[in-house]
Amino acid sequence: MAAQNDISKPSRSGTTANATPGSNVTPFVQGSAATNTTHIPTPTTSASLGLKDRGITELSKTQQQQMFSSLYAIFERAEESEGGVGVRELRPVSDTADYDGRYDHRLEALRDVRGTLDQMWWCNSDFLVTAAEVLADGSRDPKWRKPFGETGVLYFFLDILGTDRVEDGLMTQALRLVGNSCADTDENRQRLVDSGCFPALIKQLNNAVLVSIAVPAIFNVCTDFGEPGQQQAASDGLSHELISLLASRNFDGDGLLGYICRSLELILPFPQALASAPDDSTEVLMGHASAQTISLTDFSTLVNCFVLLLQDTRFQSRLIAKHSFERALTILVESYSRFTDSEELDLAHLSLTAQTERLEDEQLLHGMRDSLIQVLSDVSALPEFSAVYPLQSPLIGSLRVWLSVPQTQLQTCACVMLGNVARSDETCRTMVQNYRVHEPLLLALEASNDSQVLHAASGFLKNLVVLAENKITVGKTRIIRVLARLWSLETLPQIQYAGASLARQLITGSYRNIQGLLVPLSADPDSPAHSRTYLSLLLVLYEKTDQVSTRTEIARTITAICRILNSAHPPVAVDDFEETVHRFYSLHKEVARPLASMVSQSQWPVVRSEGWFAFALMAKNQEGAAAVSHAMHNFAVIRPLIETVTGKSFNGHGALETPEAELDQRQVEMKRRDRENAMVLISELLRFRVSPIFNYLRASG
């Protein structure tokens, strides 16, 4: 639960009575014949009645003081019955053993307070501010909060908030009581929401005298009170007022900044808050975040608010149009220079407590940076981003530099943003051929152990090598060796997948890069590694991993290789080409196994079709046909082959039957192509006399 703000007594403002309650003051007893006061009936309900006609009755100074003294005496008697604790002394509710009984006693004690307050209002008592201060002091004690709500005292002060031309002194005490009464007390928060007084509470933010009380009061209402309180505040325009207050800087103290930002953070997840926020909200927040004296906590909260605002496309587009993106990146960088980073910090000389606090700060910074990077990356994916920030712009230049910095989160940020920019062939060509961005990416993939860096760098590089020209340039580097490192990271299965996916993209349509995949692991002919290749390592990953996505990527890589090695027009001399084909099959006896998994699954029909196509291509070569035959020694593969050729499906009893489901045109066409490829496969296996499946086919009829 978030910490509630205890709204203590502020410095005196406005006009208040100077009377001090004493034992020799005659208590005012409401309705007593012994008094000279005018009796005004007490309201019969605790609901908000509205305060009107202030000053409709007149009472003497003595009568007003007696009225105030009677109110104060209520607290005196109530506290005396609980052991003589003064009204200004705080004591946790948990310290009271018989809390329920004493709670009932407080309800009884407060029964006439609302009526007394109404009388003081109607006679425009000079003692009303002092009485309000006594009650506001009492609201600091948690045990008085629910009784204030149930006896109408809270409603009285809510009415004051909604009344025009109330002096600041009285309004100050009203805000204190409302704010304290709502702290950790959902019943009172709900009363405030139901009363419709939230706009009146928010309105006090515009009063320079009251803002220091209004801000924590609003925070107390909103914190830990999501749907009712925070959503209502969002609907009533609190985000607009808070950001306007930040823009005006019409408040004092870093503590108040914290409450403003934390309140804003609570309501911005609601669409109403985003809709009502001013257009310049992101600039306002960045202005405060850039202050050199700001604390880490407030800095983090401001950035979190900034991130929440950027969920709205209005603020995303404005960030680009106003050239404010550079400022956001500056704030990200300054989070390293202004707040010590644990990667550069020697904690050995610190106490255990100090070490814990420092590491907690770093966790806070790390999470904040992640959120900021994510939302800024989303902005960089907008079409207008590339128009405002072309490749030659200083901002893109800074991102290229970030590819080589030691801060892993900045590396990740650069990879993602530059990857978003690299949408066209021309942009990808310029990045690789002119700016050589693949070189720092290879360094990151080679040396980093950070999963986010590895994932972002491999994804960016995969985007770059889609272009054939870039495949050649990148393929001439140590890329295959770097990929082998990614495949070996068994504790990071998502990185193994990224490495397999990058390998597939790198070799697709590139005979030269396929050759690189078939290079021996050792140049020494006497070494066992000489007969193993980088493709061997990829196939080992296929056998070891239980990740379906990774296995599928490896299978699709085999398919891409088959496409090139079965080309009708070899890209090199025939002898060299045939040698490559021979190495592909002779050194990888299990090369067809990944294809078997493609055709035996039913979740992705497109992948299954790709598998039948690759099987048919592989079977056209005698060594390939042998590899296919070896992979088909399993009914899990024979079964879908029979179903594909016959157009029927096996039922639960092992018999073939025609499926009843109707197929759309696309599905019909896919099944036709699958059957053709399956027939080619069978034909080639028959030609090379290597198939083990004919008994199955004859048995199926």
Side-chain angles (χ1 to χ4, degrees):
M1 178 178 291
Q4 305 293 307
N5 182 56
D6 179 14
I7 307 175
S8 59
K9 189 186 305 181
S11 58
R12 184 80 62 172
S13 62
T15 303
T16 60
N18 295 320
T20 302
S23 59
N24 58 349
V25 176
T26 304
F28 168 74
V29 182
Q30 183 176 340
S32 172
T35 67
N36 295 320
T37 61
T38 302
H39 173 66
I40 301 175
T42 303
T44 57
T45 175
S46 63
S48 177
L49 299 177
L51 299 178
K52 300 178 181 178
D53 302 323
R54 188 178 185 184
I56 60 173
T57 63
E58 293 184 5
L59 293 177
S60 68
K61 194 79 168 183
T62 300
Q63 290 173 320
Q64 293 180 31
Q65 185 170 353
Q66 289 175 337
M67 189 181 299
F68 165 73
S69 297
S70 72
L71 183 147
Y72 190 83
I74 290 173
F75 284 94
E76 289 283 283
R77 290 193 298 272
E79 295 293 354
E80 286 171 1
S81 70
E82 297 187 12
V85 179
V87 70
R88 301 177 197 276
E89 183 176 344
L90 296 180
R91 182 175 61 192
V93 173
S94 58
D95 291 349
T96 307
D98 57 341
Y99 174 73
D100 291 339
R102 297 185 180 184
Y103 176 72
D104 292 339
H105 178 77
R106 284 188 292 276
L107 283 178
E108 181 64 28
L110 290 175
R111 184 177 302 278
D112 294 331
V113 167
R114 172 61 194 264
T116 301
L117 290 172
D118 285 335
Q119 292 179 45
M120 296 180 78
W121 173 268
W122 286 326
C123 74
N124 199 15
S125 172
D126 293 336
F127 292 87
L128 181 56
V129 174
T130 306
E133 184 176 333
V134 170
L135 293 170
D137 286 344
S139 69
R140 299 178 65 189
D141 190 336
K143 67 176 178 288
W144 284 104
R145 292 170 183 169
K146 286 186 179 180
F148 279 171
E150 294 188 17
T151 57
V153 172
L154 174 62
Y155 282 117
F156 176 83
F157 288 99
L158 287 175
D159 279 338
I160 287 179
L161 294 184
T163 302
D164 294 330
R165 295 184 297 278
V166 174
E167 62 271 26
D168 290 341
L170 180 57
M171 191 65 79
T172 295
Q173 304 309 326
L175 286 170
R176 288 184 62 218
L177 185 137
V178 169
N180 284 334
S181 296
C182 289
D184 293 323
T185 311
D186 285 351
E187 297 90 339
N188 286 345
R189 291 166 172 162
Q190 190 63 56
R191 289 184 177 100
L192 186 150
V193 171
D194 293 342
S195 72
C197 289
F198 224 133
L201 176 58
I202 295 171
K203 181 181 177 182
Q204 309 311 317
L205 295 174
N206 297 314
N207 187 321
V209 175
L210 302 176
V211 67
S212 62
I213 307 295
V215 167
I218 289 172
F219 175 77
N220 279 0
V221 175
C222 290
T223 190
D224 297 325
F225 198 52
E227 286 294 326
Q230 295 165 17
Q231 187 170 29
Q232 187 63 51
S235 299
D236 289 338
L238 179 58
S239 62
H240 185 280
E241 295 304 321
L242 288 176
I243 295 174
S244 297
L245 179 60
L246 288 173
S248 71
R249 298 181 180 266
N250 190 24
F251 59 91
D252 296 321
D254 293 336
L256 205 59
L257 173 64
Y259 282 117
I260 294 172
C261 297
R262 289 161 66 188
S263 298
L264 194 57
E265 187 179 26
L266 291 172
I267 63 172
L268 281 177
F270 294 95
Q272 304 95 316
L274 289 176
S276 62
D279 289 339
D280 63 346
S281 295
T282 54
E283 293 100 300
V284 171
L285 295 182
M286 286 191 290
H288 281 276
S290 300
Q292 294 301 310
T293 57
I294 194 171
S295 69
L296 171 58
T297 301
D298 289 348
F299 176 82
S300 177
T301 307
L302 279 165
V303 172
N304 289 341
C305 291
F306 178 78
V307 168
L308 290 169
L309 283 170
L310 286 180
Q311 307 303 314
D312 192 316
T313 55
R314 171 166 63 111
F315 296 110
Q316 292 179 357
S317 298
R318 182 181 174 91
L319 194 70
I320 298 172
K322 294 293 183 179
H323 291 268
S324 297
F325 201 90
E326 299 95 323
R327 193 176 185 185
L329 291 184
T330 299
I331 290 174
L332 176 61
V333 173
E334 288 182 348
S335 71
Y336 290 93
S337 60
R338 292 164 57 187
F339 306 102
T340 306
D341 194 282
S342 59
E343 293 177 354
E344 304 170 357
L345 180 67
D346 180 12
L347 299 177
H349 68 285
L350 298 177
S351 67
L352 182 60
T353 300
Q355 290 183 36
T356 301
E357 291 175 353
R358 189 64 60 88
L359 291 175
E360 287 176 351
D361 287 348
E362 289 308 318
Q363 291 176 352
L364 179 67
L365 278 169
H366 194 278
M368 178 217 71
R369 291 181 190 129
D370 271 349
S371 299
L372 181 57
I373 288 170
Q374 179 60 58
V375 74
L376 292 179
S377 298
D378 292 343
V379 175
S380 71
L382 296 176
E384 57 262 40
F385 182 85
S386 297
V388 174
Y389 300 107
L391 285 182
Q392 65 274 20
S393 66
L395 185 143
I396 300 299
S398 295
L399 292 176
R400 293 200 304 271
V401 172
W402 287 10
L403 293 174
S404 303
V405 298
Q407 290 81 9
T408 56
Q409 287 178 294
L410 295 185
Q411 278 187 299
T412 301
C413 179
C415 289
V416 175
M417 290 186 183
L418 291 173
N420 287 337
V421 172
R423 298 291 184 86
S424 67
D425 288 350
E426 186 57 37
T427 299
C428 291
R429 180 181 294 107
T430 302
M431 283 188 171
V432 172
Q433 306 303 328
N434 295 1
Y435 295 120
R436 312 291 294 177
V437 297
H438 59 288
E439 294 175 355
L441 291 177
L442 287 173
L443 284 172
L445 294 175
E446 199 170 37
S448 180
N449 292 313
D450 185 273
S451 61
Q452 288 186 321
V453 170
L454 294 174
H455 190 273
S458 58
F460 182 23
L461 194 55
K462 178 184 175 182
N463 200 17
L464 293 174
V465 298
V466 171
L467 189 66
E469 184 179 347
N470 288 351
K471 290 183 194 290
I472 297 173
T473 301
V474 176
K476 291 178 180 178
T477 68
R478 60 195 182 284
I479 179 63
I480 300 297
R481 187 169 70 250
V482 171
L483 287 176
R485 176 187 182 246
L486 302 185
W487 304 335
S488 68
L489 299 176
E490 295 182 1
T491 59
L492 297 173
Q494 72 275 24
I495 301 304
Q496 290 182 311
Y497 165 76
S501 185
L502 176 53
R504 177 180 65 81
Q505 190 62 257
L506 186 69
I507 61 93
T508 298
S510 175
Y511 175 77
R512 180 184 179 88
N513 290 344
I514 291 174
Q515 285 183 306
L517 203 59
L518 301 179
V519 168
L521 296 179
S522 172
D524 182 1
D526 296 328
S527 171
H530 185 70
S531 61
R532 302 183 71 233
T533 69
Y534 288 100
L535 179 59
S536 302
L537 299 180
L538 192 57
L539 292 173
V540 168
L541 172 59
Y542 175 84
E543 297 297 337
K544 285 186 174 182
T545 185
D546 59 357
Q547 301 293 310
V548 175
S549 56
T550 302
R551 292 167 66 91
T552 300
E553 282 298 303
I554 295 172
R556 297 185 69 193
T557 301
I558 303 301
T559 302
I561 294 174
C562 289
R563 287 179 183 271
I564 297 296
L565 297 187
N566 283 276
S567 173
H569 305 286
V572 294
V574 174
D575 290 346
D576 292 341
F577 186 75
E578 290 180 350
E579 174 61 22
T580 300
V581 173
H582 174 67
R583 286 182 60 79
F584 175 64
Y585 290 116
S586 63
L587 298 178
H588 314 96
K589 299 299 184 181
E590 304 293 328
V591 73
R593 277 179 53 81
L595 302 182
S597 68
M598 296 177 78
V599 300
S600 60
Q601 60 84 35
S602 58
Q603 186 174 0
W604 299 291
V606 173
V607 173
R608 185 179 61 233
S609 292
E610 195 172 351
W612 289 125
F613 175 71
F615 259 152
L617 288 177
M618 191 175 284
K620 290 184 177 182
N621 175 281
Q622 186 165 7
E623 290 179 297
V628 171
S629 176
H630 181 68
M632 298 184 74
H633 280 78
N634 190 329
F635 189 67
V637 182
I638 300 298
R639 176 178 181 142
L641 177 62
I642 295 172
E643 292 178 338
T644 300
V645 171
T646 62
K648 299 180 180 181
S649 300
F650 283 97
N651 60 23
H653 304 289
L656 286 169
E657 60 184 18
T658 302
E660 298 180 358
E662 294 186 5
L663 304 178
D664 58 32
Q665 187 60 37
R666 182 185 59 83
Q667 292 172 319
V668 170
E669 178 60 22
M670 183 177 292
K671 283 188 172 294
R672 183 190 65 78
R673 290 199 305 267
D674 289 352
R675 187 176 188 279
E676 288 179 358
N677 287 325
M679 294 300 294
V680 170
L681 167 63
I682 294 172
S683 175
E684 295 300 326
L685 293 177
L686 287 170
R687 181 163 69 92
F688 291 115
R689 301 179 180 276
V690 293
S691 176
I693 67 171
F694 304 118
N695 289 336
Y696 287 111
L697 292 175
R698 281 194 291 268
S700 67

